[in-house]
Amino acid sequence: MNLFSKEIMHVGEMASGAKLTVPVYRLKAKDVPEPKGNAKKKVSSVYIQANMHGAEVQGNAVIYQLLELLKSVKVLGDITLVPYANPVGCNHKNGEYTLGRFDPITGMNWNRMYHFDTEIIKPFVQECIGKDDATIEANFKALMIDTIEQKLDHNIFGLTTGQRMAYQLQRLAHQADLVLDLHTGPISSKHLYCPEYAQESAKYFDIPHTLFIPNEFDGALDEATFCPWWHLQEAFSDLGIEFSISSKALNKESFTVELGSQEQIDLDVALEDAKSILNYLQYKGVIESTEFQPKEMIRYGCYLKDYKAFYSPMGGMVDYLAEFGQPLAAGEPLARILRMDNYDYDQNSDKSSSLHYLSLDHEVIPILHFASASVNQGTELYKVFTKYFTF
Amino acid sequence: MNLFSKEIMHVGEMASGAKLTVPVYRLKAKDVPEPKGNAKKKVSSVYIQANMHGAEVQGNAVIYQLLELLKSVKVLGDITLVPYANPVGCNHKNGEYTLGRFDPITGMNWNRMYHFDTEIIKPFVQECIGKDDATIEANFKALMIDTIEQKLDHNIFGLTTGQRMAYQLQRLAHQADLVLDLHTGPISSKHLYCPEYAQESAKYFDIPHTLFIPNEFDGALDEATFCPWWHLQEAFSDLGIEFSISSKALNKESFTVELGSQEQIDLDVALEDAKSILNYLQYKGVIESTEFQPKEMIRYGCYLKDYKAFYSPMGGMVDYLAEFGQPLAAGEPLARILRMDNYDYDQNSDKSSSLHYLSLDHEVIPILHFASASVNQGTELYKVFTKYFTF
Amino acid sequence: MNLFSKEIMHVGEMASGAKLTVPVYRLKAKDVPEPKGNAKKKVSSVYIQANMHGAEVQGNAVIYQLLELLKSVKVLGDITLVPYANPVGCNHKNGEYTLGRFDPITGMNWNRMYHFDTEIIKPFVQECIGKDDATIEANFKALMIDTIEQKLDHNIFGLTTGQRMAYQLQRLAHQADLVLDLHTGPISSKHLYCPEYAQESAKYFDIPHTLFIPNEFDGALDEATFCPWWHLQEAFSDLGIEFSISSKALNKESFTVELGSQEQIDLDVALEDAKSILNYLQYKGVIESTEFQPKEMIRYGCYLKDYKAFYSPMGGMVDYLAEFGQPLAAGEPLARILRMDNYDYDQNSDKSSSLHYLSLDHEVIPILHFASASVNQGTELYKVFTKYFTF
Amino acid sequence: MNLFSKEIMHVGEMASGAKLTVPVYRLKAKDVPEPKGNAKKKVSSVYIQANMHGAEVQGNAVIYQLLELLKSVKVLGDITLVPYANPVGCNHKNGEYTLGRFDPITGMNWNRMYHFDTEIIKPFVQECIGKDDATIEANFKALMIDTIEQKLDHNIFGLTTGQRMAYQLQRLAHQADLVLDLHTGPISSKHLYCPEYAQESAKYFDIPHTLFIPNEFDGALDEATFCPWWHLQEAFSDLGIEFSISSKALNKESFTVELGSQEQIDLDVALEDAKSILNYLQYKGVIESTEFQPKEMIRYGCYLKDYKAFYSPMGGMVDYLAEFGQPLAAGEPLARILRMDNYDYDQNSDKSSSLHYLSLDHEVIPILHFASASVNQGTELYKVFTKYFTF
């Protein structure tokens, strides 16, 4: 049976002095194969985190199932698992629900606080000329970690609550090659955020819908960990130097895995999702097992720019109609909105004046919808794939 | 087609001066049968309200379906329908969900603000000696309405926001014989709150689980409308006078109808629930139709004192396991709680130390559970029937 | 220098498993005088708690100053000091402010969760016949503590989050003779809640306004600790037995000390309030010092039934005008309310139609007002002494 | 007496269907002087808005006093005044306070939702070659308004709640030359946000502290109205064409006026601030009066990049010490933080281990501090001018 270690990371402090802590579980590779001949085969390390948004708890159950499954699997690369990544968001209730999407004091989205400054790329590349890939990789990793540590420890004006948490998590994530940030939608089907260059890897998750994201940093953990490497690759490329982060030797990938709906724990579904993640780790050579194979399925892709939020054109109470994950023809209703403030008999039609059907004029795939039936004019009602494709 | 009228009732004012309004729909009886011979047959009037708790929106959809169905039904008694009864609760969001169970300023439960003071009973009864039931009924109704109006209009220190709303709704409700307050649980099966004396009526709703409530006022609308009559009946009974509020002539009943889960609108389910309400109104002679008949089903009852909340013995993340509505044997798990702060391999057992199964030592029927997977120690996890019976 | 001990009391658990803890500081009496002759002089013990409502933080600063002052004072009775009594309320932010008046999940006021059931009195009194006061005192204290422990530990359906905290604090409080619960108003002058029988003691606090409260339990800590004794005294009195809780031998008193406004820490003012508390403890013989003497001041009293909340008759934005603590003549404005939704030039008056002056038709003493300028119709605007007197 | 008109602008809809409305008051210039000779003297128009952040209410009182003062002043340019600009934020309570800084559903800051896309500048400049300034001004104004209207009306995926409100306000603001957005800090001294090019104008407000902001759009109303003109000026300048937005003919300026602390209405102070604004309008020729002259005062300036937030290095309860508006020497305490979780006697020092003094290592001017005494590690404690200067 594989052994794991556990640490408690201290990420902040509340008004009462209560410590904010995060548990960090680590499995050390113990079955790393002997390299044969010259082939120096590198095994990737993995960082998996869950519950950065307070209500998105299912990732904790997936980490539970991963730990259970990893007991008896051959582990070739180091794996770090961090459930309850955000102890403020996780415990913050307003009414029965968990208000954990943003800092309740400032409104800042907890998953937009990570750090990356593209300014570090150019000077670094200058220093790299003539060095081998392994050295470049090691140096760049050291630079990223050092940058974060500078921000954590050397700022006389301090850091926000969210930055202090995010930077400590990011410091752990930078130490790994592969990063999985486990989230959920509000009420949602499973879907995957994948950098455009890692499309092949997306096929190893048992998740039929994938968003492909460009090399633009917007503060999230996946971007904070793959964008630096992708920018580095591009900077070398501009100089005519090949430095492929998708190569077996470097192998840098980050995903945000959306596990379904928030405010739910389902340990049985979590087991399926843990296996899906092990499919990917098996593909990447982090574990060695014949057990984990991706399911056959139609895989839909969509570029981030074509992933559209549909905001409610009116206030009201919503009966959500569209099925997730399947193409919805133009004109078919996404939802109907009830407005009992102005009920009237409409004698010329089957439909009352207090029921409004909402549809779009082109085909989409609905991926998720708002968590509540009550919406204001302008509330994000649905998110949908437009211009989707199969891959 | 039946005609209805609509009024806008002004129930308060926000800081910006925005008016808080509630729509009131009324169907006037128009097919009241001629009384034959001496038999003065009284037809009951009905008051139906929805959404006093902000997140409990499905009642609005039921009122929508009632209005649709009532278009073409023979209506013998006046029917008043009030959706969106609480414009503060209905629109108050914290994060994606509606924080509408209590006044966000004071924490007061919106459905504990109605008024009834038992002190009015004794002096009233003294005045009634020798009067006939119809006069007593009319006078008592007038007294209740007048009491509320005194509180609304003649208090130099004013009323709370919730009292002002509740009293205006209560004034409408007192004008009817039958009162239905449409609520929902958090995540819940359908169930019914019914005064103990009205057990027979409970059989006309398509709702398999009924709570029988005693003659104790705790601030809710159903109690505020049936307790006065019940106390009156008891006060007469103490004097050896029969004054039966269950008689055809008086016929005073109030129910809280729990329609299922909050934060959801489902117009198809609402149609079923509207029909269930029409079963009851048909039984009570408010409408005349052969269409509406209750379904056959096992009906479980439970006294309010035996309706138990089970508070979580620990903080954690809950995988709710127990099926609603069915007897759960002693020892069978209600839920399992995940605690990823203390994951460890338990080598002597199948179960990890971070999974805790919760059960009770006697049989219960689970009726509803908490709305979120994340609970603190002491959060109300389940509500269950104990000592239940069939009727 | 006096030594103190510190314990960490575990009062609950959050969803992440984070422990909710409360620090408990204790000073043991060490200078208790030898009893001379037969005179068995009992020295009272004291329990002081702060911050049960999350935003009411100043009591923590007062406990700080008490600890500083008590370093070098002769301490005759045991003193227990509990800052940060409510770790949920203390840390719960919504926006910049602390939402700590009620449980954010249920809306229950944290200071209405203590326990007292009058049913325990009668059987207890039966058992006491013929026993001496010291035995009765010891037995009743044991009974109260045992009752709480039964509720804490032997309830298969569990306790709410607030009950679990409150009962643990109450268990500590029952061990003391004198109980001080440190609170604040929203924006407020200092005032004191004092049981009617302890009027003389109120003169030892440097607080000019005192509310005298009757023997009715409404869930607060002061009531939960003095009501049992008062009921006991009354039950004996009904049997013609004198059992005086105000006697030197028993000396049971509890106060809620309102220290001013919430959301503020002022260590200099806290020092004054700590001295005020030491005046009282000196008077009660808990400490021995010539240093602490109450200030001369006019002391206003008011019975709880005459302490009135004035609810805003309209929504709007409030310019609070009335000075705290001084009699305000009938007709003088408490506040003016701005309503910029309906500004108009009023050509016949100095005052615009969008400014509304609020006053009462009899003299009052304003004690506190709402924390925000923005109020709904029905928001509690002011609390005032009516029918006040000096004592 | 000047006449004003009032309109009700409909800016959104809540779940109940309740309309979100904003009152718009307008004074039309009626004393515009005849132009003499060729000198075509343009009189600027003004847009003044208040309360975009819900708790920042004092601007409404200032608009009240402006309307009162403007009754009897010679008005040369059109003035539009919009109190209660954000009906969602204004009415949203959580506990006693107004949670109005961000959309309670999304966390988005209400004052970061305005629109400006620099892409419109270049093509517009191309079209302007050879046109006179007045034509360019008229066309650019039309372009800005048209851009906003396109976004308001022609987006199949809709707008967020905040965008819909902000764009409607922005459409009004674009019609004016001078824009004042009235805000407050949390607990704060008065200060002014002023575009760098308008330093001279800052001297006409009775506000001693001014922040000078660069030509960078970050979503706020002041930026959304001056950045387009400033970018236009710079684009012309790049082509060697002078187009001076500070000239008497164009005269485009926008300010965010921070009126002091939030959650407060003080009509007397509002009168002073209204006069301060009339000083500025008198200077700009919008009104004609000898009455309004700025006060003599030391005026401190600071560039936005040097305006620093100081985040709390620890959780705790804060006794704020530093006086606003005055230089605070290096090493002098800003605040002391109480930590009653770890009180101990420190026998070697005057200060207890539970009191922590916070200071900076260089001189600053404190401008505002956090609204609550309770802070988490990382809460924004103070905002301070560093590298300030007088002007």
Side-chain angles (χ1 to χ4, degrees), chain B residues 88-101:
Chain B
V88 176
C90 178
N91 289 321
H92 193 84
K93 290 285 186 185
N94 267 352
E96 295 153 272
Y97 301 94
T98 308
L99 180 75
R101 193 161 183 79

Side-chain angles (χ1 to χ4, degrees), chain A residues 6 68 263 340-341 372, chain B residues 6 25 263 340-341 343 372:
Chain A
K6 180 184 167 189
E68 292 283 297
E263 293 284 14
M340 286 307 295
D341 57 319
S372 161
Chain B
K6 180 184 169 188
Y25 296 97
E263 293 285 15
M340 287 307 294
D341 57 319
Y343 179 83
S372 161

Side-chain angles (χ1 to χ4, degrees), chain B residues 257-278:
Chain B
V257 185
E258 302 277 340
L259 296 161
S261 300
Q262 68 193 17
E263 293 285 15
Q264 289 180 13
I265 289 285
D266 187 316
L267 282 152
D268 299 331
V269 172
L271 179 58
E272 293 309 304
D273 286 309
K275 287 177 180 171
S276 159
I277 288 171
L278 293 183

Side-chain angles (χ1 to χ4, degrees), chain C residues 252-268:
Chain C
K252 305 294 179 192
E253 293 184 354
S254 302
F255 302 86
T256 297
V257 185
E258 302 277 340
L259 296 161
S261 300
Q262 68 193 16
E263 293 286 14
Q264 289 180 13
I265 289 285
D266 187 317
L267 282 152
D268 299 331

Side-chain angles (χ1 to χ4, degrees), chain D residues 245-260:
Chain D
I245 60 172
S246 307
S247 69
K248 285 254 158 109
L250 290 171
N251 204 19
K252 305 293 181 195
E253 294 185 354
S254 303
F255 301 86
T256 297
V257 184
E258 302 277 342
L259 294 161

